[in-house]
Amino acid sequence: MHLTNYSVNRHAAAFVRDEAEGEGSKWSLSALQRHFEEHGWPWARVRAEIASVFIKTLISVEADVARKVGQTVRHRNTCFELHGFDVLIDEAFAVHLLELNICPSLHLGSPLDRRLKTRLVADLLTLVG
């Protein structure tokens, strides 16, 4: 999982390509956690709030997704979707959902992308069996 909108940020003058974990403009969740812990910021609370935003967002669309799945497939358990979440953490450490991507990019544009997205796809395929 990553917590940045790469397609927007990569055009910014201050954008730094992510050659190493925790450096550059795109970070892994573990790099973000280390950064929070190094500064004494409330990581556990923010991580829980991120999870809460994800869960509430998926619950809010579940009925619509279930209806559409029922219209297009014979058995509910024969398909899956991958969603991408863009979140903002403000200076008060509140988490805000910026957008839910129904077709997140799996492009491998950097070593960090390759590491994170390869694991993501492997985990996804493990979950769906």
Side-chain angles (χ1 to χ4, degrees):
M1 172 173 30
H2 67 89
L3 301 175
T4 182
N5 192 327
Y6 177 79
S7 63
V8 173
N9 290 333
R10 68 182 174 177
H11 300 295
F15 180 80
V16 178
R17 187 170 167 83
D18 49 293
E19 297 300 332
E21 183 119 8
E23 298 177 10
S25 295
K26 184 188 290 187
W27 292 11
S28 67
L29 193 59
S30 59
L32 182 65
Q33 178 180 353
R34 279 192 302 278
H35 184 75
F36 264 66
E37 290 170 349
E38 288 168 2
H39 288 85
W41 296 342
W43 174 250
R45 187 188 88 199
V46 168
R47 180 65 178 96
E49 197 171 330
I50 291 169
S52 178
V53 166
F54 290 1
I55 291 166
K56 289 173 185 173
T57 302
L58 292 174
I59 288 170
S60 74
V61 300
E62 195 274 334
D64 189 48
V65 169
R67 188 182 87 261
K68 289 180 181 175
V69 166
Q71 294 171 349
T72 57
V73 297
R74 291 180 72 159
H75 303 285
R76 178 183 174 122
N77 296 330
T78 60
C79 63
F80 64 91
E81 288 186 350
L82 172 66
H83 294 93
F85 289 80
D86 290 335
V87 298
L88 172 74
I89 304 169
D90 69 21
E91 59 192 21
F93 304 108
V95 176
H96 306 275
L97 177 66
L98 296 178
E99 70 176 330
L100 171 64
N101 299 303
I102 60 169
C103 190
S105 171
L106 294 177
H107 175 72
L108 304 177
S110 71
L112 179 61
D113 277 339
R114 183 169 307 282
R115 203 166 45 256
L116 294 178
K117 293 176 183 180
T118 299
R119 287 184 207 154
L120 169 70
V121 171
D123 288 347
L124 178 65
L125 293 174
T126 299
L127 284 171
V128 299

